[in-house]
Amino acid sequence: MAELSYPDIEAAAARIAGRVRPVTVASAQPGNRPEAPTPTAATWSASPADDPAGSGVHFALEFMQYTGTFKARGAQNFIQAHLAEGTFPEAGVTIASGGNAGLACAWAARDADVPATVFLPANAPAVKVERLRGYGAEVRLIGSEYAEAALACQQFVKSSGALASHAYDHPLIAAGAGTMMTEILSQIPDLDTIVVSVGGGGLFAGVATAATFHGVRTVAVEPKNCRALNAALEAGEPVDVPVDSVAADSLGARRATPLAVSAAQNDLVTSVLVDDEQIVSARRHLWGEHRLAVEHAAATALAGIHGSSDSGVYVPSDGEKVCVVLCGANTSLGDL
């Protein structure tokens, strides 16, 4: 099974230094506020015993990263590594993704002044197409489903010799994501626990590898109906899972990567599942209490530490220092 090492993350940090925004870490302690309304399914309890946003909890504001998500880190590391090795082809880099990975790849390619070709389904949202073109990428609209765009991307790699990138399933992508953890530890050196949402596992693999190296616990949070990593841990290997969640646009991978499964197989990793109601509630809390507008995937991490132990979430101990990674903000404000 593939593995990621801490030296891989150190190398990534050196490559992308000055090319990404260092993560901002802020206390999650709520400020003075009027008495909260009676809690409902869509609100969080105002009780200090039930609200995890205490003095020991921090937010890693990675949604402030270039392109709006942590994926800028992996994209930069992937491209810079190939440029340094002299293995970057004249045809440039290509990826099939109309989401955050595609945006990050196009942005990093523009920053390196190399060509990028992004494949999307023909029915992709116009705003994403425009943003990709704004980054200078050549956009090719193929078919009506992602699978068709992905197949066209594979064919393009064969015919053009372009370098194929991936949203999460590559050691360089995961190592780039892991650089965030070293930046968090520079600001909270006595951190006990990092909390991160998981889709295919690129972010998790990088963060958990760095966290484990430093003796920090990682809480891996997934939607109950997008549990690729959790199912892989049960099976002992990556397996296909159904995908159905409000956060599926970012966390809807059908299987976790071998890198993620390997990083998760140690005593410092805890797997947590949350339902969509918890995710929506966490997202509304972040806006209502902190004026942080994030996508459902980011709110999934916070949902993983809210509630009681019998609800299946991770409950921090008294005095435990916890950092929740808010990984992205490419979302619609209309449904907050």
Side-chain angles (χ1 to χ4, degrees), residues 64-236:
M64 297 171 62
Q65 187 55 260
Y66 291 115
T67 76
T69 75
F70 71 94
K71 289 185 181 291
R73 295 174 180 271
Q76 279 283 8
N77 189 44
F78 181 83
I79 288 177
Q80 292 301 322
H82 282 281
L83 286 172
E85 291 294 326
T87 55
F88 205 96
E90 186 176 342
V93 64
T94 186
I95 189 171
S97 169
N100 295 332
L103 292 169
C105 181
W107 166 79
R110 184 188 67 175
D111 186 60
D113 195 27
V114 296
T117 304
V118 181
F119 288 79
L120 297 84
N123 56 1
V127 63
K128 290 186 178 181
V129 174
E130 292 171 6
R131 194 171 178 194
L132 284 164
R133 287 175 174 156
Y135 285 140
E138 179 181 344
V139 178
R140 299 194 181 185
L141 304 175
I142 306 291
S144 59
E145 298 180 0
Y146 170 78
E148 294 175 271
L151 178 59
C153 182
Q154 294 172 7
Q155 294 172 340
F156 177 72
V157 170
K158 293 178 181 179
S159 63
S160 69
L163 179 65
S165 185
H166 195 278
Y168 53 85
D169 193 6
H170 194 285
L172 289 171
I173 298 294
T179 61
M180 185 199 320
M181 186 64 198
T182 60
E183 294 173 12
I184 292 171
L185 286 172
S186 72
Q187 298 172 67
I188 317 176
D190 55 348
L191 183 68
D192 297 304
T193 305
I194 187 81
V195 185
V196 62
S197 56
V198 184
L203 174 62
F204 165 79
V207 167
T209 297
T212 298
F213 179 83
H214 289 283
V216 175
R217 176 179 297 281
T218 303
V219 177
V221 190
E222 297 173 278
K224 289 181 179 177
N225 294 324
C226 290
R227 52 183 291 267
L229 180 63
N230 181 269
L233 290 174
E234 287 185 356

Side-chain angles (χ1 to χ4, degrees), residues 16-102:
I16 70 176
R19 299 182 181 276
V20 298
R21 291 175 178 148
V23 66
T24 295
V25 176
S27 171
Q29 178 69 35
N32 293 329
R33 60 185 179 182
E35 185 175 349
T38 301
T40 67
T43 63
W44 282 42
S45 171
S47 166
D50 294 330
D51 191 340
S55 59
V57 178
H58 293 76
F59 294 145
L61 309 181
E62 184 64 2
F63 62 86
M64 297 171 62
Q65 187 55 260
Y66 291 115
T67 76
T69 75
F70 71 94
K71 289 185 181 291
R73 295 174 180 271
Q76 279 283 8
N77 189 44
F78 181 83
I79 288 177
Q80 292 301 322
H82 282 281
L83 286 172
E85 291 294 326
T87 55
F88 205 96
E90 186 176 342
V93 64
T94 186
I95 189 171
S97 169
N100 295 332

